[in-house]
Amino acid sequence: MTDRIREFLRNRRDDGPVLVVDLDVVRDNYNAFAKALPDSRVFYAVKANPAPEVLKLLGSLGSCFDTASVAEIEMVLAAGVTPDRISYGNTIKKERDIARAFEVGVRLFAVDCKAEVEKVARAAPGSKVFCRILCDGAGAEWPLSRKFGCEPSMAADVLEHAHRQGLEAYGVSFHVGSQQRNQHAWDRALAQAAAVFKECGERGINLSMVNLGGGFPTKYLKNVPTVRTYGSAIFKALRKHFGNRIPETIIEPGRGMVGNAGVIETEVVLVSKKSEEDEVRWVYLDIGKFGGLAETMDESIRYPIRTPRDGAETSPCILAGPTCDSADVLYEKQPYLLPVSIEIGDKLLIEGTGAYTATYSSVAFNGFPPLKTVHI
Ligand SMILES: *Cc1c(COP(=O)(O)O)cnc(C)c1O
């Protein structure tokens, strides 16, 4: 929570939930990344918050951008950023989308198999490609499964294929899992990346770049290490695995760039019990999973929630959204402690909601409009 957000909400007259993002915090985050990893180029992961205000600000600070679709590429271009600062980092792309990206000037693509290499070779000839390797995501609160990346043992074949198809085999990428609370998670991935460099080198292909991905956390309820701590752990791991031949590196922060910049104001719609003896109250808010809080899925992300009655006695509550879908429950397995005195009409603040909220909100499920968003 910042003074600027507090001031904005004090003067707000509109109804319904709203996400307020303080751009000063985004600027501070960018500067912290640039300082913690001074030799890495920053490619902001656009999906975390693609608002034009965020893209323009980061563009003006010198950031590059990691995109996953033609629409995201167009948003970045519309923010005044040149295509040499854009990567098409999705490993799953239609060939005609690759062609469209190439047409507007994008020359950096992610791949994780030979079939994708062939699409890029046909639709974006001569471009740079990096091969994504699998990472187990241990230590992450929002792990990324096996959907993206190949086994490290296959990566050299994929990159050699790219080389033979006339592409520039540029490097290796990985993602250690989102909201990664262990700064040492990069160590194992970098060992594997170094092995791919070595194997490619032996085949006469000299890779030059390691894409360290995202994963940098936002503080929710638990404390997280500082960006500086991540920076020095990563630098040590680079030294350890690459010796004095440290490659060019890039990072792709999403959550860590915008998460703590946003606060959602929501209203309590109903407080009830399922029986007179029930010890746990149900608290229904005017925002839920379909209004932008999708990352509460499996209760993975636990947002800090402030109430106007903080400091009073608390009791466990099941928190739920306003829609008529029974899946629209935020915290139930692990109930949330809220003041006993909480009442219908109270305004609550959900902190750390600058990333992965607005774009997740549904178009109009049950008629509820997408999450309103203000960038100040
Ligand atoms: C989503 C994504 C990111 C951002 O991840 P965070 O955990 O939010 O930092 C970075 N790189 C790629 C390829 C992604 O898909």
Side-chain angles (χ1 to χ4, degrees):
M1 180 50 119
T2 66
D3 289 341
R4 299 176 70 221
I5 295 180
R6 200 171 288 122
E7 183 63 22
F8 175 85
L9 289 173
R10 193 180 304 131
N11 297 319
R12 179 171 185 251
R13 293 287 164 263
D14 299 344
D15 192 34
V18 64
L19 165 66
V20 189
V21 174
D22 186 338
L23 293 168
D24 282 353
V25 178
V26 179
R27 179 192 304 270
D28 290 348
N29 290 340
Y30 179 85
N31 290 333
F33 278 116
K35 201 164 156 210
L37 287 148
D39 299 322
S40 298
R41 273 202 299 164
V42 176
F43 280 67
Y44 169 62
V46 171
K47 72 175 183 293
N49 182 335
E53 295 90 339
V54 171
L55 301 181
K56 272 196 199 115
L57 169 66
L58 290 174
S60 74
L61 293 172
S63 187
C64 301
F65 296 84
D66 176 57
T67 62
S69 65
V70 170
E72 282 189 350
I73 291 169
E74 285 168 349
M75 289 184 232
V76 175
L77 292 173
V81 174
T82 49
D84 55 310
R85 288 161 66 191
I86 299 175
S87 68
Y88 197 162
N90 193 342
T91 51
I92 305 151
K93 305 172 284 299
K94 287 181 181 165
E95 190 166 327
R96 52 188 183 277
D97 289 343
I98 298 169
R100 181 85 189 101
F102 186 72
E103 211 175 281
V104 298
V106 176
R107 295 289 181 272
L108 182 57
F109 297 85
V111 294
D112 66 0
C113 65
K114 289 184 183 174
E116 193 71 16
V117 163
E118 285 163 16
K119 286 192 229 167
V120 178
R122 283 190 298 264
S127 292
K128 288 177 172 165
V129 293
F130 54 86
C131 182
R132 179 151 169 186
I133 56 176
L134 279 166
C135 226
D136 67 10
E141 291 185 1
W142 189 259
L144 298 169
S145 81
R146 289 175 60 82
K147 182 169 173 184
F148 313 101
C150 64
E151 289 292 346
S153 57
M154 193 173 106
D157 291 343
V158 173
L159 287 163
E160 186 179 355
H161 197 59
H163 176 74
R164 289 180 191 278
Q165 302 266 319
L167 293 167
E168 183 180 341
Y170 186 45
V172 174
S173 77
F174 54 79
H175 194 301
V176 295
S178 202
Q179 187 68 7
Q180 176 53 263
R181 293 176 55 233
N182 180 1
Q183 74 270 25
H184 302 297
W186 278 260
D187 186 77
R188 213 158 66 94
L190 280 168
Q192 293 174 328
V196 178
F197 267 61
K198 186 157 173 279
E199 174 66 29
C200 283
E202 284 163 8
R203 300 186 195 184
I205 299 162
N206 292 316
L207 303 179
S208 30
M209 187 275 291
V210 175
N211 177 344
L212 303 158
F216 306 94
T218 275
K219 185 186 176 307
Y220 296 113
L221 284 174
K222 296 178 206 151
N223 271 326
V224 294
T226 61
V227 175
R228 236 180 90 204
T229 306
Y230 283 83
S232 57
I234 289 171
F235 186 73
K236 270 195 207 121
L238 279 165
R239 268 261 174 274
K240 179 169 145 198
H241 300 295
F242 288 89
N244 56 11
R245 301 183 61 185
I246 293 183
E248 184 190 322
T249 54
I250 69 181
I251 54 170
E252 299 175 331
R255 188 186 305 278
M257 188 71 86
V258 289
N260 65 339
V263 173
I264 288 173
E265 185 183 65
T266 174
E267 181 179 330
V268 176
V269 182
L270 181 66
V271 183
S272 67
K273 287 187 171 187
K274 300 296 172 188
S275 75
E276 292 303 335
E277 306 79 57
D278 214 349
E279 300 205 333
V280 180
R281 291 168 300 157
W282 282 71
V283 173
Y284 300 90
L285 306 176
D286 66 356
I287 186 170
K289 274 207 179 97
F290 303 102
L293 302 178
E295 286 198 316
T296 57
M297 208 185 294
D298 300 326
E299 309 194 12
S300 303
I301 299 293
R302 269 180 101 74
Y303 295 105
I305 300 175
R306 292 207 198 203
T307 79
R309 301 167 197 277
D310 284 355
E313 188 197 344
T314 60
S315 76
C317 298
I318 295 170
L319 267 186
T323 68
C324 294
D325 189 316
S326 55
D328 191 11
V329 176
L330 305 176
Y331 304 118
E332 179 173 20
K333 274 183 282 173
Q334 217 188 323
Y336 207 100
L337 289 176
L338 289 175
V340 177
S341 50
I342 209 156
E343 279 180 14
I344 293 169
D346 279 356
K347 294 279 173 67
L348 310 189
L349 298 172
I350 309 178
E351 296 185 325
T353 42
Y356 303 123
T357 51
T359 43
Y360 269 139
S361 71
S362 70
V363 174
F365 183 56
N366 270 164
F368 293 104
L371 181 59
K372 275 185 216 136
T373 308
V374 184
H375 290 79
I376 56 173

